[in-house]
Amino acid sequence: MQAEPKNMPVRGSSRMQKVFRNRKPDEKIMNLFITAGFPAKSETVDLILAYEKNGADIIELGMPFSDPLADGPTIQYSSEVALAAGLMMDDIFEMVSQVRKSSDIPIVLMGYLNPLLYYGIEPFFTRCAETGVDGLILPDVPVEESALLAEASETCKVPLIYLVAPNSTDERMKLVDERSGGFVYCVSVTGVTGARSGDEVEQSVNRFIERVNQNITRNPVLVGFGISSHADAMHISRKTDGFVVGSALINNIRENYGTEGWMENHLKFVRSLKYGELETSENTKRS
Amino acid sequence: MQQTNEVAVPDTAYNFPSKNGYFGKFGGKFVPEILIPALDELERQYELASKDDSFKKERLHHLREYVGRPTPFTFCERLTAHYGTGRIYFKREDLCHTGAHKINNTIGQVLLAMRMGKKRIIAETGAGQHGVATATVCAKFGLECIVYMGAEDMKRQKLNVDRMRLLGADVRGVESGSKTLKDATNEAIRDWVTNVDDTFYIIGSVVGPHPYPKMVRDFHDVIGLETEAQCFETEGRDPDYILACVGGGSNAIGIFHRFIDKKHVKLIGLEAAGEGAETNKTAATFSKGKPGVLHGSLSYLLQTHQGQVELAHSISAGLDYPGVGPEHSHLFDTGRVAYRPVTDTEAMDAVKRCSMLEGIIPAIETAHAIAWLEKLMPQLSGDEIVVINCSGRGDKDMGTISDYFYGSNNK
């Protein structure tokens, strides 16, 4: 159980604030990662809206990059599929706009610095603000390199969300907490993203969650990297505010996409991540 | 003696990178959070080691007794006669153990790894020369060695794959992306992220996050130091021109760095234009690229209009990389070094010319620098000294060379 009082996002958007404010004491916030344009450009908006109805509290929308060095093979694969189909940065903003027509689910863009630099820092943040992006996760931009984004982020009120790792010092964790807006992303296993065995995940978590809770005091904490089931999620996030699922979600799409009723089967998996295997109609959120 | 090489360094001396790892606006540490503590520790340990005389002494000992330094400074008599102007010298890095300059760096980094108590070494390789140089020092010092290599490159450079295996390295083919050097580098970084506690990543060029570009440069600085002394001994003065090929740029920085403050020495870096710097089949980063971030640093980068990394092309696997070291980007922007493109065809012609006139079969990478003589020498008046960093020998390229000149039947 989360230690009280609950952290609230300091500079998070009102949409993000609402998610954490409305969180029930025994509830874990579920952030789902999906690569924009995977499995196809036409599916992304539908998937996001369906995820919201099936238990997702936050959407992390991946901006595909040719060389995603902080991600494992699964996310690299999904990025390659999206890029091969010609996905552009403006397509991603268009997707966010579409979602915003009917949904207030917080959307955080996750990606690598280079496509953003090419788009232009100011235009990028401006588009984020216009379309309703709630934050930005850039795994190849640690706090010491954030200076070039700070002004645009501040002006456009699109906060950066930083990561902490098991080997981050207490000082760094405090710095990350100070600079992050929305939540702090806690990397649970030393390693790149990818589905891992329960044991491996379990081992690394306990060592530093305590330190995280001591040092991250201004923002909620979500734990990610390696979660592939409800049991994983509950175990890993038991002392934090919630969890992130990425590779396991993409893998599940790969297994199901193209088969009959694939979306239904996929959403069943999504519900199981948040609510466990036992399904009742009450578990489906009504929007 | 009217001049000494021990001139006092002026206050305005070139002094990069900055404390944060920047060469002007290029460089930095654009890596996942997990690697920051590792890079900080590496930086700290490297600082300590570079102030420790015993570390330097040990490094120089191995460079002398194992690598075979100092390498010769060869006057190229027939090549000089061929052009009829200037005097051409080769700095013979091709005579280093394993056949290229790369081992200057791997000796330095492996000694640092042992000093830091790391037992597991990883590396990326394109043409295989850095992989071989890493596998070699790991064999010599008894360390575990894993080399990531693009599956495509493994086909192109089978000889080097087998050399690494013979040296005891675990060569892991990389099937993602374009299956070449940039993908091998992604994979090596992923390995490092996963095994950061016990693993030392030996980067093969002056690329990557700080402190790698500085550290790799420092380990290759010996090339320029020797060149300066040897040229002085032979000619009584500094060279007028220094030419070197640039992929990531380690051999070029190695020979240039010592001369950056000597403005009378013109420095020219030759990048691989592939089928032409204006075509899509090129690795000419400065001719065609824009500043961007790949593999941990901000530098010039070949990229699409969406900021995706573009595939490089060069007949030389060692130059087939879409990025370039951040220090070169700084030297390009400030104009201290001139960077010029050389095509596959020009480089291959130079391989032949150099082989037949000097009895030296150069690596195709190196041949890009040799090819520039065609443009440079006719402009000279007569007594200019031109030094080329002969960075590697061409044995590894015999498959490509056979295909190119004699048809694949003779392979």
Side-chain angles (χ1 to χ4, degrees), chain B residues 309-322:
Chain B
V309 178
E310 192 143 46
L311 298 187
H313 169 86
S314 166
I315 193 167
S316 140
L319 302 180
D320 203 345
Y321 181 68

Side-chain angles (χ1 to χ4, degrees), chain A residues 64-69 71 76 80 83 88-89 113-115 118 139-140 142 145 163 165 167-168 172 190-192, chain B residues 22 28-34 36-37 176-177 182 186 189-190 193 292-294 301 303-309:
Chain A
F65 181 49
S66 53
D67 295 80
L69 53 77
D71 287 302
Q76 173 148 10
E80 283 169 4
L83 290 174
M88 313 272 221
M89 194 64 91
L113 180 59
N114 200 58
Y118 203 96
D140 61 350
E145 299 294 355
L163 288 80
N167 56 0
S168 304
R172 283 191 70 79
T190 306
V192 294
Chain B
Y22 276 84
K29 281 192 220 181
F30 294 90
V31 294
E33 174 66 23
I34 286 174
I36 293 288
S176 60
K182 84 173 171 71
N186 292 339
I189 292 173
R190 286 173 182 148
V193 166
V293 169
L294 178 69
L301 178 65
Q303 45 189 316
T304 69
H305 67 288
Q306 287 288 307
Q308 305 295 334
V309 178

Side-chain angles (χ1 to χ4, degrees), chain B residues 45-297:
Chain B
Q45 293 281 352
Y46 176 61
E47 288 282 308
L48 288 174
S50 31
K51 285 175 192 146
D52 180 346
D53 279 346
S54 70
F55 180 78
K56 189 177 180 186
K57 220 169 136 188
E58 192 180 4
R59 191 168 68 83
L60 294 179
H61 168 80
H62 293 300
L63 289 180
R64 189 175 63 240
E65 304 301 336
Y66 188 68
V67 174
R69 304 207 72 93
T71 57
F73 186 68
T74 306
F75 177 58
C76 299
E77 197 171 345
R78 295 190 67 213
L79 207 49
T80 296
H82 173 76
Y83 292 108
T85 56
R87 284 192 300 286
I88 301 165
Y89 288 87
F90 279 2
K91 176 58 179 164
R92 300 294 304 281
E93 294 301 295
D94 59 317
L95 294 179
C96 287
H97 178 43
T98 70
H101 69 291
K102 294 286 184 190
I103 197 165
N104 299 325
N105 170 46
T106 60
I107 285 276
Q109 288 201 49
V110 85
L111 292 175
L112 187 60
M114 289 191 294
R115 200 183 147 99
M116 291 171 70
K118 308 277 184 182
K119 298 255 185 314
R120 183 175 179 272
I121 302 292
I122 58 170
E124 84 296 335
T125 197
Q129 286 304 97
H130 173 60
V132 167
T134 305
T136 298
V137 296
C138 287
K140 176 173 170 57
F141 294 105
L143 300 170
E144 182 187 359
C145 179
I146 293 133
V147 179
Y148 291 94
M149 187 170 187
E152 203 52 49
D153 288 337
M154 285 178 76
K155 276 189 238 157
R156 290 199 282 187
Q157 306 284 337
K158 187 166 185 325
L159 180 68
N160 272 344
V161 173
D162 291 343
R163 286 171 82 192
M164 287 183 269
R165 285 179 175 149
L166 185 61
L167 291 160
D170 174 4
V171 183
R172 297 189 184 166
V174 175
E175 296 283 352
S176 60
S178 61
K179 305 176 188 178
T180 60
L181 177 57
K182 84 173 171 71
D183 310 286
T185 308
N186 292 339
E187 217 50 49
I189 292 173
R190 286 173 182 148
D191 181 313
W192 198 28
V193 166
T194 312
N195 302 294
V196 67
D197 290 341
D198 68 343
T199 297
F200 191 102
Y201 178 20
I202 299 190
I203 293 186
S205 192
V206 285
V207 299
H210 181 65
Y212 280 101
K214 172 185 160 56
M215 185 168 72
V216 176
R217 175 192 76 193
D218 293 352
F219 289 147
H220 283 304
D221 212 26
V222 64
I223 306 172
L225 288 168
E226 285 178 11
T227 300
E228 183 183 47
Q230 289 167 321
C231 192
F232 193 78
E233 195 178 309
T234 314
E235 289 279 355
R237 63 183 180 93
D238 284 327
D240 296 293
Y241 292 89
I242 299 178
L243 275 52
C245 65
V246 178
S250 65
N251 91 80
I253 282 290
I255 197 164
F256 289 166
H257 184 239
R258 178 67 183 174
F259 296 95
I260 289 175
D261 279 331
K262 297 188 165 191
K263 299 288 159 60
H264 54 280
V265 182
K266 296 180 186 70
L267 308 174
I268 305 175
L270 290 314
E271 57 178 5
E275 294 180 8
E278 67 294 342
T279 70
N280 286 329
K281 293 201 153 188
T282 185
T285 311
F286 288 121
S287 304
K288 218 191 161 197
K290 287 190 164 64
V293 169
L294 178 69
H295 298 150
S297 60

Side-chain angles (χ1 to χ4, degrees), chain A residues 34-36 44 48 59-63 92 96 107-110:
Chain A
I34 177 79
T35 302
T44 303
I48 293 174
I59 296 294
E60 192 178 324
L61 187 58
M63 304 181 281
I92 299 172
V96 178
I107 298 176
V108 171
L109 295 184
M110 180 276 184

Side-chain angles (χ1 to χ4, degrees), chain A residues 169-285:
Chain A
T169 60
D170 289 0
E171 290 69 32
R172 283 191 70 79
M173 285 186 184
K174 287 187 175 110
L175 187 63
V176 159
D177 191 26
E178 200 181 297
R179 301 279 180 87
S180 295
F183 58 89
V184 166
Y185 193 161
C186 188
V187 182
S188 64
V189 188
T190 306
V192 294
T193 57
R196 285 160 187 279
S197 72
D199 275 1
E200 204 180 333
V201 173
E202 185 174 340
Q203 200 180 16
S204 68
V205 177
N206 297 342
R207 286 207 296 266
F208 89 118
I209 288 293
E210 201 175 328
R211 236 161 33 83
V212 167
N213 282 331
Q214 276 164 14
N215 293 297
I216 310 289
T217 55
R218 300 157 58 111
N219 285 285
V221 173
L222 300 187
V223 192
F225 286 34
I227 294 171
S228 54
S229 69
H230 178 70
D232 276 355
M234 291 306 110
H235 184 68
I236 293 164
S237 66
R238 67 191 184 281
K239 287 182 177 157
T240 65
D241 302 274
F243 60 95
V244 183
V245 183
S247 298
L249 197 70
I250 305 252
N251 277 332
N252 189 268
I253 293 177
R254 285 177 79 173
E255 282 162 24
N256 287 300
Y257 189 58
T259 62
E260 211 186 312
W262 80 272
M263 182 72 107
E264 221 165 281
N265 290 328
H266 178 54
L267 293 175
K268 195 173 155 190
F269 173 70
V270 168
R271 285 192 299 277
S272 79
L273 287 170
K274 173 104 178 181
Y275 305 110
E277 295 300 332
L278 268 179
E279 279 216 273
T280 69
S281 56
E282 287 158 46
N283 286 341
T284 306
K285 264 196 199 170

